[in-house]
Amino acid sequence: MAFLMKSMLSNQVKNLGLGGGGEESKEESAPSDPAAAAGMTREEYEEYQKQVVEEKMERDAAFAQKKAERACLRVHLREKYRLPKSELDENQIQMAGDDVGLPEDLQKMVAEDQVEEEDKDSILGQLQNIQNMDIDAIKEKAQATFTEMKQAAEQKCSVM
């Protein structure tokens, strides 16, 4: 509320005191040439503008490359986990050029994951999983399930 009152009063005071002529004097004092405003000659200013444009293009290209790498990673993960494909990711990869790949660190991680998955899928991997199982817990769970099923059947069937 105080902000609203302050802004309303300050606007009214500015309009009364200056009469609108102050803005014109500010515009007249500023030089019309941007090179002169920056304190450079026209050639220096043009060279500076070229450098700014080139740097911006380089940043944009690097940004597009990073976006494409991220999109490539998302595509890889979607393929790995059998998720639906995304048109946006495919478009980003195409815009950056089809030479986009996973960064080296991620390639190493993916290779390690594939080796681990292959080990788990092999017969030896399955045998190791059997050794790690808690047989007593599995027996108890099976017996509990069997007794629950037996009790449910006895309640539904008058013959048992």
Side-chain angles (χ1 to χ4, degrees), residues 64-82:
Q65 180 72 19
K66 288 289 185 184
K67 281 179 73 172
E69 287 177 359
R70 291 184 198 114
C72 186
L73 176 65
R74 287 191 297 269
V75 166
H76 175 74
L77 290 174
R78 283 191 178 102
E79 287 174 1
K80 179 178 178 180
Y81 296 109
R82 296 180 183 98

PDB file of all heavy atoms in Angstrom, residues 64-82:
ATOM      1  N   ALA A  64      23.987 -25.519 -28.946  1.00  0.00           N
ATOM      2  CA  ALA A  64      23.237 -26.480 -29.756  1.00  0.00           C
ATOM      3  C   ALA A  64      23.895 -27.858 -29.698  1.00  0.00           C
ATOM      4  O   ALA A  64      23.198 -28.879 -29.639  1.00  0.00           O
ATOM      5  CB  ALA A  64      23.148 -25.990 -31.197  1.00  0.00           C
ATOM      6  N   GLN A  65      25.223 -27.890 -29.692  1.00  0.00           N
ATOM      7  CA  GLN A  65      25.947 -29.163 -29.595  1.00  0.00           C
ATOM      8  C   GLN A  65      25.646 -29.848 -28.262  1.00  0.00           C
ATOM      9  O   GLN A  65      25.376 -31.047 -28.223  1.00  0.00           O
ATOM     10  CB  GLN A  65      27.456 -28.918 -29.754  1.00  0.00           C
ATOM     11  CG  GLN A  65      28.300 -30.153 -29.675  1.00  0.00           C
ATOM     12  CD  GLN A  65      28.173 -31.040 -30.895  1.00  0.00           C
ATOM     13  OE1 GLN A  65      27.738 -30.596 -31.951  1.00  0.00           O
ATOM     14  NE2 GLN A  65      28.539 -32.290 -30.744  1.00  0.00           N
ATOM     15  N   LYS A  66      25.670 -29.078 -27.169  1.00  0.00           N
ATOM     16  CA  LYS A  66      25.377 -29.650 -25.850  1.00  0.00           C
ATOM     17  C   LYS A  66      23.939 -30.154 -25.785  1.00  0.00           C
ATOM     18  O   LYS A  66      23.670 -31.220 -25.229  1.00  0.00           O
ATOM     19  CB  LYS A  66      25.604 -28.611 -24.739  1.00  0.00           C
ATOM     20  CG  LYS A  66      27.047 -28.295 -24.483  1.00  0.00           C
ATOM     21  CD  LYS A  66      27.707 -29.468 -23.817  1.00  0.00           C
ATOM     22  CE  LYS A  66      29.127 -29.114 -23.458  1.00  0.00           C
ATOM     23  NZ  LYS A  66      29.834 -30.246 -22.885  1.00  0.00           N
ATOM     24  N   LYS A  67      23.007 -29.379 -26.352  1.00  0.00           N
ATOM     25  CA  LYS A  67      21.616 -29.812 -26.360  1.00  0.00           C
ATOM     26  C   LYS A  67      21.469 -31.113 -27.137  1.00  0.00           C
ATOM     27  O   LYS A  67      20.725 -32.007 -26.743  1.00  0.00           O
ATOM     28  CB  LYS A  67      20.729 -28.730 -26.974  1.00  0.00           C
ATOM     29  CG  LYS A  67      20.399 -27.599 -26.032  1.00  0.00           C
ATOM     30  CD  LYS A  67      19.547 -26.544 -26.688  1.00  0.00           C
ATOM     31  CE  LYS A  67      18.144 -27.022 -26.882  1.00  0.00           C
ATOM     32  NZ  LYS A  67      17.252 -25.950 -27.353  1.00  0.00           N
ATOM     33  N   ALA A  68      22.190 -31.224 -28.258  1.00  0.00           N
ATOM     34  CA  ALA A  68      22.115 -32.437 -29.069  1.00  0.00           C
ATOM     35  C   ALA A  68      22.718 -33.623 -28.324  1.00  0.00           C
ATOM     36  O   ALA A  68      22.189 -34.736 -28.407  1.00  0.00           O
ATOM     37  CB  ALA A  68      22.829 -32.210 -30.399  1.00  0.00           C
ATOM     38  N   GLU A  69      23.809 -33.398 -27.583  1.00  0.00           N
ATOM     39  CA  GLU A  69      24.398 -34.482 -26.799  1.00  0.00           C
ATOM     40  C   GLU A  69      23.428 -34.958 -25.726  1.00  0.00           C
ATOM     41  O   GLU A  69      23.277 -36.158 -25.498  1.00  0.00           O
ATOM     42  CB  GLU A  69      25.709 -34.024 -26.159  1.00  0.00           C
ATOM     43  CG  GLU A  69      26.849 -33.894 -27.132  1.00  0.00           C
ATOM     44  CD  GLU A  69      28.120 -33.360 -26.486  1.00  0.00           C
ATOM     45  OE1 GLU A  69      28.128 -33.055 -25.268  1.00  0.00           O
ATOM     46  OE2 GLU A  69      29.126 -33.239 -27.219  1.00  0.00           O
ATOM     47  N   ARG A  70      22.765 -34.022 -25.080  1.00  0.00           N
ATOM     48  CA  ARG A  70      21.776 -34.408 -24.062  1.00  0.00           C
ATOM     49  C   ARG A  70      20.627 -35.179 -24.699  1.00  0.00           C
ATOM     50  O   ARG A  70      20.144 -36.159 -24.145  1.00  0.00           O
ATOM     51  CB  ARG A  70      21.248 -33.167 -23.346  1.00  0.00           C
ATOM     52  CG  ARG A  70      22.269 -32.502 -22.471  1.00  0.00           C
ATOM     53  CD  ARG A  70      21.659 -31.335 -21.704  1.00  0.00           C
ATOM     54  NE  ARG A  70      22.697 -30.476 -21.228  1.00  0.00           N
ATOM     55  CZ  ARG A  70      22.892 -29.224 -21.628  1.00  0.00           C
ATOM     56  NH1 ARG A  70      22.080 -28.686 -22.511  1.00  0.00           N
ATOM     57  NH2 ARG A  70      23.864 -28.508 -21.143  1.00  0.00           N
ATOM     58  N   ALA A  71      20.190 -34.712 -25.869  1.00  0.00           N
ATOM     59  CA  ALA A  71      19.118 -35.407 -26.573  1.00  0.00           C
ATOM     60  C   ALA A  71      19.559 -36.814 -26.961  1.00  0.00           C
ATOM     61  O   ALA A  71      18.775 -37.771 -26.867  1.00  0.00           O
ATOM     62  CB  ALA A  71      18.699 -34.617 -27.812  1.00  0.00           C
ATOM     63  N   CYS A  72      20.810 -36.953 -27.373  1.00  0.00           N
ATOM     64  CA  CYS A  72      21.350 -38.268 -27.729  1.00  0.00           C
ATOM     65  C   CYS A  72      21.335 -39.184 -26.507  1.00  0.00           C
ATOM     66  O   CYS A  72      20.978 -40.364 -26.613  1.00  0.00           O
ATOM     67  CB  CYS A  72      22.751 -38.109 -28.288  1.00  0.00           C
ATOM     68  SG  CYS A  72      23.458 -39.625 -28.918  1.00  0.00           S
ATOM     69  N   LEU A  73      21.692 -38.652 -25.368  1.00  0.00           N
ATOM     70  CA  LEU A  73      21.665 -39.434 -24.137  1.00  0.00           C
ATOM     71  C   LEU A  73      20.235 -39.867 -23.812  1.00  0.00           C
ATOM     72  O   LEU A  73      19.996 -41.023 -23.459  1.00  0.00           O
ATOM     73  CB  LEU A  73      22.249 -38.624 -22.985  1.00  0.00           C
ATOM     74  CG  LEU A  73      22.200 -39.289 -21.613  1.00  0.00           C
ATOM     75  CD1 LEU A  73      23.067 -40.534 -21.597  1.00  0.00           C
ATOM     76  CD2 LEU A  73      22.644 -38.321 -20.545  1.00  0.00           C
ATOM     77  N   ARG A  74      19.279 -38.935 -23.942  1.00  0.00           N
ATOM     78  CA  ARG A  74      17.885 -39.290 -23.671  1.00  0.00           C
ATOM     79  C   ARG A  74      17.393 -40.364 -24.635  1.00  0.00           C
ATOM     80  O   ARG A  74      16.689 -41.291 -24.227  1.00  0.00           O
ATOM     81  CB  ARG A  74      17.003 -38.045 -23.748  1.00  0.00           C
ATOM     82  CG  ARG A  74      17.167 -37.115 -22.568  1.00  0.00           C
ATOM     83  CD  ARG A  74      16.098 -36.046 -22.559  1.00  0.00           C
ATOM     84  NE  ARG A  74      16.151 -35.177 -23.710  1.00  0.00           N
ATOM     85  CZ  ARG A  74      16.829 -34.052 -23.783  1.00  0.00           C
ATOM     86  NH1 ARG A  74      17.532 -33.644 -22.758  1.00  0.00           N
ATOM     87  NH2 ARG A  74      16.805 -33.320 -24.876  1.00  0.00           N
ATOM     88  N   VAL A  75      17.784 -40.260 -25.905  1.00  0.00           N
ATOM     89  CA  VAL A  75      17.386 -41.268 -26.897  1.00  0.00           C
ATOM     90  C   VAL A  75      17.971 -42.618 -26.498  1.00  0.00           C
ATOM     91  O   VAL A  75      17.287 -43.652 -26.550  1.00  0.00           O
ATOM     92  CB  VAL A  75      17.842 -40.853 -28.314  1.00  0.00           C
ATOM     93  CG1 VAL A  75      17.761 -42.012 -29.281  1.00  0.00           C
ATOM     94  CG2 VAL A  75      17.002 -39.690 -28.804  1.00  0.00           C
ATOM     95  N   HIS A  76      19.245 -42.611 -26.094  1.00  0.00           N
ATOM     96  CA  HIS A  76      19.892 -43.862 -25.685  1.00  0.00           C
ATOM     97  C   HIS A  76      19.162 -44.486 -24.494  1.00  0.00           C
ATOM     98  O   HIS A  76      18.911 -45.699 -24.467  1.00  0.00           O
ATOM     99  CB  HIS A  76      21.353 -43.607 -25.338  1.00  0.00           C
ATOM    100  CG  HIS A  76      22.053 -44.811 -24.807  1.00  0.00           C
ATOM    101  ND1 HIS A  76      22.420 -45.861 -25.614  1.00  0.00           N
ATOM    102  CD2 HIS A  76      22.422 -45.148 -23.544  1.00  0.00           C
ATOM    103  CE1 HIS A  76      22.992 -46.789 -24.875  1.00  0.00           C
ATOM    104  NE2 HIS A  76      23.010 -46.370 -23.619  1.00  0.00           N
ATOM    105  N   LEU A  77      18.812 -43.666 -23.492  1.00  0.00           N
ATOM    106  CA  LEU A  77      18.114 -44.189 -22.321  1.00  0.00           C
ATOM    107  C   LEU A  77      16.717 -44.691 -22.681  1.00  0.00           C
ATOM    108  O   LEU A  77      16.252 -45.694 -22.140  1.00  0.00           O
ATOM    109  CB  LEU A  77      18.025 -43.113 -21.236  1.00  0.00           C
ATOM    110  CG  LEU A  77      19.358 -42.766 -20.565  1.00  0.00           C
ATOM    111  CD1 LEU A  77      19.183 -41.590 -19.616  1.00  0.00           C
ATOM    112  CD2 LEU A  77      19.923 -43.963 -19.841  1.00  0.00           C
ATOM    113  N   ARG A  78      16.056 -43.997 -23.610  1.00  0.00           N
ATOM    114  CA  ARG A  78      14.732 -44.461 -24.041  1.00  0.00           C
ATOM    115  C   ARG A  78      14.830 -45.813 -24.734  1.00  0.00           C
ATOM    116  O   ARG A  78      13.973 -46.669 -24.553  1.00  0.00           O
ATOM    117  CB  ARG A  78      14.099 -43.429 -24.965  1.00  0.00           C
ATOM    118  CG  ARG A  78      13.545 -42.255 -24.224  1.00  0.00           C
ATOM    119  CD  ARG A  78      12.686 -41.391 -25.131  1.00  0.00           C
ATOM    120  NE  ARG A  78      12.144 -40.297 -24.378  1.00  0.00           N
ATOM    121  CZ  ARG A  78      12.607 -39.058 -24.415  1.00  0.00           C
ATOM    122  NH1 ARG A  78      13.620 -38.760 -25.200  1.00  0.00           N
ATOM    123  NH2 ARG A  78      12.058 -38.113 -23.697  1.00  0.00           N
ATOM    124  N   GLU A  79      15.868 -45.996 -25.538  1.00  0.00           N
ATOM    125  CA  GLU A  79      16.052 -47.285 -26.203  1.00  0.00           C
ATOM    126  C   GLU A  79      16.369 -48.366 -25.175  1.00  0.00           C
ATOM    127  O   GLU A  79      15.848 -49.475 -25.256  1.00  0.00           O
ATOM    128  CB  GLU A  79      17.183 -47.192 -27.223  1.00  0.00           C
ATOM    129  CG  GLU A  79      16.826 -46.405 -28.458  1.00  0.00           C
ATOM    130  CD  GLU A  79      18.019 -46.221 -29.389  1.00  0.00           C
ATOM    131  OE1 GLU A  79      19.122 -46.721 -29.078  1.00  0.00           O
ATOM    132  OE2 GLU A  79      17.837 -45.563 -30.419  1.00  0.00           O
ATOM    133  N   LYS A  80      17.216 -48.034 -24.213  1.00  0.00           N
ATOM    134  CA  LYS A  80      17.631 -49.011 -23.208  1.00  0.00           C
ATOM    135  C   LYS A  80      16.444 -49.492 -22.386  1.00  0.00           C
ATOM    136  O   LYS A  80      16.290 -50.678 -22.136  1.00  0.00           O
ATOM    137  CB  LYS A  80      18.689 -48.390 -22.301  1.00  0.00           C
ATOM    138  CG  LYS A  80      19.179 -49.317 -21.213  1.00  0.00           C
ATOM    139  CD  LYS A  80      20.249 -48.657 -20.376  1.00  0.00           C
ATOM    140  CE  LYS A  80      20.701 -49.573 -19.267  1.00  0.00           C
ATOM    141  NZ  LYS A  80      21.744 -48.942 -18.459  1.00  0.00           N
ATOM    142  N   TYR A  81      15.598 -48.575 -21.963  1.00  0.00           N
ATOM    143  CA  TYR A  81      14.474 -48.928 -21.107  1.00  0.00           C
ATOM    144  C   TYR A  81      13.165 -49.083 -21.876  1.00  0.00           C
ATOM    145  O   TYR A  81      12.096 -49.147 -21.279  1.00  0.00           O
ATOM    146  CB  TYR A  81      14.328 -47.892 -19.984  1.00  0.00           C
ATOM    147  CG  TYR A  81      15.513 -47.893 -19.067  1.00  0.00           C
ATOM    148  CD1 TYR A  81      16.417 -46.850 -19.069  1.00  0.00           C
ATOM    149  CD2 TYR A  81      15.748 -48.968 -18.219  1.00  0.00           C
ATOM    150  CE1 TYR A  81      17.521 -46.864 -18.224  1.00  0.00           C
ATOM    151  CE2 TYR A  81      16.846 -48.989 -17.386  1.00  0.00           C
ATOM    152  CZ  TYR A  81      17.727 -47.934 -17.397  1.00  0.00           C
ATOM    153  OH  TYR A  81      18.815 -47.952 -16.571  1.00  0.00           O
ATOM    154  N   ARG A  82      13.264 -49.102 -23.183  1.00  0.00           N
ATOM    155  CA  ARG A  82      12.118 -49.334 -24.081  1.00  0.00           C
ATOM    156  C   ARG A  82      10.975 -48.351 -23.808  1.00  0.00           C
ATOM    157  O   ARG A  82       9.821 -48.729 -23.664  1.00  0.00           O
ATOM    158  CB  ARG A  82      11.629 -50.772 -23.940  1.00  0.00           C
ATOM    159  CG  ARG A  82      12.663 -51.781 -24.382  1.00  0.00           C
ATOM    160  CD  ARG A  82      12.152 -53.210 -24.233  1.00  0.00           C
ATOM    161  NE  ARG A  82      13.172 -54.155 -24.582  1.00  0.00           N
ATOM    162  CZ  ARG A  82      13.955 -54.781 -23.714  1.00  0.00           C
ATOM    163  NH1 ARG A  82      13.835 -54.523 -22.438  1.00  0.00           N
ATOM    164  NH2 ARG A  82      14.855 -55.637 -24.126  1.00  0.00           N
TER     165      ARG A  82
END
